[in-house]
Amino acid sequence: MRIEHIRALARFGRPVWVWDKAKFGSRRILDRVRFRAELEEPGAEPSGGCDADVSTRLAYGEIEMTSPLYLGDMSFGALSGIPNIALARTADLTGILTGTGEGGLYEEVRRYRRITVQWASARFGVDIDVLNAGMAVVIKIGQGAKPGIGGHLPGVKVTKPISDTRRIPVGMDAISPAPHHDIYSIEDLGQRIMAIKEATGKPVFVKVGVTNYISYIACGVARMGADGIIMDGQGAGTGAAPAVVRDNVGLPIEVAVPVVDRALRREGLRDGFSVVAAGRVSSAEDAAKLIALGADCVSIGTAALIGMGCIMVHKCHLGFCPAVLTNKIEESPRRLLSLETATRWSVNLVRGWAEELREIMERVGVSTLDSLISRRELLVGEGLDPEDAELLGVGLASEGMDR
Amino acid sequence: MLARAWTDRRIRHLREMAGVAGKSAGEPVIASMGSTAPPNVEEPFFIRDHIVCDGAQVTRPSIDPYREPVSTYVYLPGLGIRLSQPLILTVYPEYPPPVARAFVRAAYNHGLLVYIRGRRLEDYVGGYAERILADISYLGAAGGFWTVSDSLDTHPQILLQPSKASHEYVSSAGFQNVCGVIVDEDAYGSDTPIEVSVSLLDRTLKQRGLRDRVALIASSRHVRGSDDIFKLVGLGADAVSIGDAAVIAADCLEHQLDEDTIYERVENLILAIQKEVKLLAGAAGVSRIFSTLVGNRELFRSIGLRSDLRLMLGVKQAGVG
């Protein structure tokens, strides 16, 4: 149902529903949190023409976004080229931001403006021109699908074009180091952040997976001068990861966002510092709830791929994607994704998503995105463990509406 | 309920590791896209399905398990034995003789132990006795095994205990000579999930000052892979025994396979489990299983577990720093 919803958004670019109808019966904590406004008006239908302001600013105001969406960092190699270009074009056309992943900056992507470039543990293709190419630099420490484990591009997908971009032998697994070998502490991270800022003058984000000590990590990242943190929760997508790590390591994003938001505020570090929430963000309502829990912006990866035709066969690592999104990059491919169609679909997705967000904000009663951030009192837990509700900072539905 | 715990995903995973399916025998299984695992998507069956492991980042760097050493050795204190990884193979009574022989050989060759339950030993022991745990009542002519019994009266070296929340026997006089305990979830009288009884027993042994001379082994037919092993070790076990997981991985009950084929598959499985344990350990920044993982509950957080269970396990709620 979620998948069909994303496809409908991508196809028509118009809001499909106000409240996420796919959340019922789910085990996910975020799906058991609802807006109080939904309990009052559960059957709301999109009215169209909502004028809530969904624009936001990241990185101490340096990056303006028309809507709080960051298209996740998916590398050239994990995706097959055309989708990378489509995502970058989408960001330019809609005024949001897209990440380019760790696999070096693809020439066709470099010409777009609203991209971030990634500085990951293997440093594939990173030089000063690449660092200067985007609006911001992302230091990738970890990702939600495999916190503590490095990037992995299986050998079958390391073809000649990838070999040229990443400067690695054809056919060999490209496994990035698990840690950055020059970042063994928060002080080391501070030095790298400052070095990148001095070299480029651009904002620096730090991307981490959500783990046990996420609030301390976030405070450290903020204290060391980064402009934002991208937190990637358990269940986030990946091009290839050891199944045992993907299935057992890391915490869900909805647990991390309020905890980190509170910790940053306690330390006086929250103002201007951006919190980007990623991992299983699958609808505008998810986005709105994560923002109300304390994020500034959400990141979508799998949803963006579904918008471009992904049918979720879970075989990205084998290189024969039936939707030609994650297939291996060949010099003379038999089938190619149409760049025009892919771009149209993902632009539609972003616009429809933003419209749905406006619908939700109107029902909730906030007119600007800023006034939705950290508004945990707008949310209520239903079927949620009381201790989880306390951790999230939301009330419980059974406690009545007048809290 | 328990049969459903062996989901298709689990079975496929084990068989890919054993080389029955897929093309990368003896290697960790690679997957893509988002996880569908419990507790967030699939139904959680056991307490361990509610437990998630840590990933080390920045403040505490992870260890690259592909390039840096992660030592998986564990020592069984009372026995003075070193296992190459926290793994013991159990031969249950219904396993056919070729399976039993393959298990014995694989355990011996890989520096593990094999526990042969409920059957006579002569057929299997050939020179492998030092790596065999055997029921005290089934001892054959050969010597040198480790003896296991569920009663302290028979003076076993290793005590087989049902999975229970109370551990009064730890202080009893006869216990002084026991060098290890197997907590067996399948034994008659078990009434407590294995995670809880292992965690409680680990702490009881520590409180009584016995932990450094008594090995703690967790045994259940429902240990389904390296993640279960990793979690039970983190909750306090020195080693975890698997039986059905290996039989399912080798796909050797329905098909009449010869001993060598089973041996090869079990060997693949053992190697792959070791690599997966290294991945989990490396991700959590653990370089040595025995000194850093055994009983290290701080590496875990729980999702959707009641507070009384969390307290018994000693595992914090997800999101608590």
Side-chain angles (χ1 to χ4, degrees):
Chain A
M1 192 166 180
R2 284 212 151 104
I3 296 172
E4 269 115 60
H5 171 245
I6 293 169
R7 285 189 187 136
L9 285 180
R11 182 104 187 263
F12 304 112
R14 287 195 302 270
V16 176
W17 61 37
V18 177
W19 307 117
D20 186 339
K21 292 175 185 162
K23 62 176 175 282
F24 302 103
S26 161
R27 296 175 197 285
R28 192 170 67 141
I29 294 173
L30 191 62
D31 288 329
R32 289 180 274 145
V33 174
R34 300 170 74 181
F35 277 106
R36 286 178 193 273
E38 187 192 355
L39 302 183
E40 287 162 18
E41 196 192 351
E45 288 296 322
S47 53
C50 296
D51 54 1
D53 179 11
V54 294
S55 69
T56 186
R57 299 164 85 89
L58 297 183
Y60 296 91
E62 280 194 51
I63 300 171
E64 291 184 15
M65 310 258 285
T66 55
S67 50
L69 270 180
Y70 176 97
L71 303 176
D73 306 277
M74 292 179 280
S75 70
F76 174 61
L79 304 189
S80 57
I82 303 282
N84 302 76
I85 307 170
L87 291 175
R89 270 180 79 176
T90 303
D92 267 20
L93 289 170
T94 56
I96 57 168
L97 207 53
T98 185
T100 54
E102 118 166 83
L105 191 55
Y106 182 31
E107 277 311 314
E108 299 291 316
V109 171
R110 188 192 287 253
R111 69 178 65 157
Y112 296 97
R113 208 175 71 80
R114 301 193 66 93
I115 56 173
T116 65
V117 293
Q118 202 175 77
W119 196 78
S121 60
R123 309 280 197 277
F124 288 123
V126 172
D127 60 25
I128 188 67
D129 295 337
V130 166
L131 290 178
N132 270 316
M135 295 185 83
V137 180
V138 175
I139 299 183
K140 182 210 169 189
I141 301 288
Q143 69 184 86
K146 44 179 166 176
I149 297 282
H152 187 165
L153 186 66
V156 292
K157 289 173 83 175
V158 181
T159 53
K160 182 76 172 49
I162 292 297
S163 150
D164 291 344
T165 331
R166 300 202 184 192
R167 306 193 179 267
I168 50 172
V170 171
M172 247 184 79
D173 278 30
I175 299 179
S176 306
H180 286 248
H181 286 298
D182 51 0
I183 304 177
Y184 274 77
S185 66
I186 210 80
E187 298 92 321
D188 287 347
L189 178 67
Q191 293 170 18
R192 302 293 96 75
I193 292 171
M194 286 310 149
I196 292 176
K197 285 192 157 188
E198 269 173 31
T200 65
K202 310 237 179 209
V204 176
F205 291 90
V206 177
K207 179 178 180 182
V208 297
V210 177
T211 51
N212 294 2
Y213 308 105
I214 186 69
S215 57
Y216 308 124
I217 293 170
C219 289
V221 166
R223 190 76 78 188
M224 285 301 128
D227 297 272
I229 185 168
I230 303 174
M231 299 191 293
D232 202 6
Q234 200 273 340
T238 175
V244 71
V245 173
R246 184 194 67 171
D247 293 345
N248 292 285
V249 180
L251 307 176
I253 184 65
E254 58 267 33
V255 169
V257 167
V259 169
V260 164
D261 183 54
R262 272 199 299 265
L264 288 170
R265 283 178 201 280
R266 193 176 58 229
E267 302 289 320
L269 295 166
R270 184 70 177 87
D271 282 343
F273 181 78
S274 300
V275 175
V276 182
R280 287 211 174 119
V281 182
S282 51
S283 69
E285 189 184 320
D286 283 356
K289 286 191 287 199
L290 286 168
I291 291 168
L293 284 172
D296 290 299
C297 173
V298 297
S299 166
I300 55 171
T302 303
L305 292 185
I306 292 171
M308 287 192 285
C310 166
I311 52 171
M312 297 194 81
V313 291
H314 288 257
K315 294 280 178 271
C316 315
H317 56 298
L318 298 178
F320 55 76
C321 177
V324 283
L325 292 164
T326 66
N327 48 326
K328 62 183 168 200
I329 299 164
E330 291 159 301
E331 281 170 280
S332 51
R334 268 171 297 165
R335 290 191 303 156
L336 265 182
L337 191 67
S338 150
L339 178 60
E340 292 309 314
T341 313
T343 312
R344 191 169 65 241
W345 283 346
S346 46
V347 167
N348 279 344
L349 174 65
V350 171
R351 293 199 172 135
W353 193 294
E355 277 303 320
E356 285 195 351
L357 192 55
R358 286 194 187 94
E359 298 276 351
I360 292 169
M361 284 166 63
E362 185 145 307
R363 301 305 186 294
V364 171
V366 294
S367 54
T368 64
L369 199 77
D370 279 350
S371 53
L372 182 64
I373 297 170
S374 304
R375 292 284 300 280
R376 291 183 274 271
E377 75 278 8
L378 296 173
L379 298 169
V380 65
E382 207 174 52
L384 201 60
D385 181 73
E387 286 180 87
D388 283 340
E390 196 185 324
L391 190 86
L392 262 57
V394 303
L396 284 170
S398 53
E399 290 172 20
M401 303 292 297
D402 52 347
R403 237 172 77 130
Chain B
M1 123 120 184
L2 294 177
R4 285 195 297 134
W6 294 101
T7 57
D8 290 348
R9 178 175 67 82
R10 285 278 179 187
I11 293 172
R12 168 110 198 145
H13 187 116
L14 286 169
R15 290 192 175 157
E16 281 189 30
M17 294 203 294
V20 177
K23 288 179 185 164
S24 50
E27 293 292 330
V29 177
I30 300 297
S32 51
M33 299 205 74
S35 166
T36 55
N40 294 306
V41 182
E42 281 176 12
E43 181 186 352
F45 289 103
F46 304 113
I47 289 179
R48 51 189 178 273
D49 290 341
H50 291 273
I51 292 177
V52 293
C53 309
D54 195 18
Q57 302 180 94
V58 192
T59 48
R60 199 168 57 91
S62 54
I63 291 159
D64 191 333
Y66 294 108
R67 301 176 177 90
E68 296 174 78
V70 175
S71 150
T72 58
Y73 293 116
V74 292
Y75 295 87
L76 299 185
L79 282 68
I81 280 188
R82 189 173 87 155
L83 302 182
S84 64
Q85 58 173 314
L87 180 65
I88 290 174
L89 300 179
T90 298
V91 177
Y92 288 98
E94 76 275 16
Y95 294 178
V99 176
R101 282 195 294 269
F103 274 31
V104 171
R105 276 171 60 199
Y108 184 87
N109 291 347
H110 283 272
L112 305 174
L113 281 170
V114 62
Y115 177 20
I116 300 177
R117 299 183 70 158
R119 64 162 90 207
R120 296 185 61 75
L121 291 171
E122 288 89 341
D123 294 347
Y124 315 114
V125 289
Y128 301 112
E130 67 199 78
R131 289 282 170 176
I132 292 179
L133 312 178
D135 291 335
I136 211 161
S137 50
Y138 282 96
L139 276 183
F145 331 90
W146 299 96
T147 57
V148 181
S149 167
D150 55 5
S151 162
L152 283 168
D153 301 335
T154 53
H155 304 296
Q157 287 155 320
I158 297 163
L159 184 67
L160 184 69
Q161 274 291 303
S163 179
K164 292 175 93 66
S166 69
H167 301 291
E168 299 101 356
Y169 62 89
V170 170
S171 60
S172 67
F175 188 74
Q176 292 305 314
N177 299 318
V178 170
C179 48
V181 180
I182 299 178
V183 179
D184 182 10
E185 197 181 33
D186 312 307
Y188 179 75
S190 293
D191 56 9
T192 306
I194 184 121
E195 299 88 348
V196 173
S197 52
V198 162
S199 187
L200 289 175
L201 179 55
D202 175 53
R203 283 186 283 174
T204 307
L205 288 169
K206 278 176 182 158
Q207 280 160 11
R208 309 241 157 108
L210 292 166
R211 188 63 181 91
D212 57 352
R213 65 173 190 81
V214 175
L216 173 47
I217 297 161
S219 169
S220 166
R221 282 178 184 256
H222 294 96
V223 173
R224 299 156 300 172
S226 39
D227 45 349
D228 285 357
I229 294 170
F230 189 85
K231 289 171 187 175
L232 286 167
V233 171
L235 289 171
D238 289 311
V240 180
S241 109
I242 63 167
D244 290 2
V247 164
I248 288 171
D251 198 11
C252 57
L253 274 196
E254 286 148 36
H255 305 100
Q256 295 288 321
L257 296 176
D258 62 88
E259 183 189 322
D260 284 346
T261 307
I262 301 169
Y263 171 76
E264 197 175 295
R265 291 176 176 183
V266 173
E267 194 168 46
N268 284 335
L269 180 73
I270 291 171
L271 289 170
I273 287 178
Q274 184 176 27
K275 288 174 188 168
E276 288 199 339
V277 166
K278 282 184 181 184
L279 283 169
L280 288 169
V286 170
S287 61
R288 187 177 280 259
I289 297 292
F290 184 63
S291 60
T292 317
L293 179 65
V294 177
N296 187 357
R297 298 162 182 82
E298 185 55 28
L299 286 177
F300 302 138
R301 290 294 183 271
S302 67
I303 295 172
L305 268 193
R306 295 198 321 265
S307 55
D308 56 332
L309 274 176
R310 283 207 308 269
L311 210 62
M312 283 199 276
L313 293 168
V315 173
K316 291 177 186 165
Q317 182 190 8
V320 174

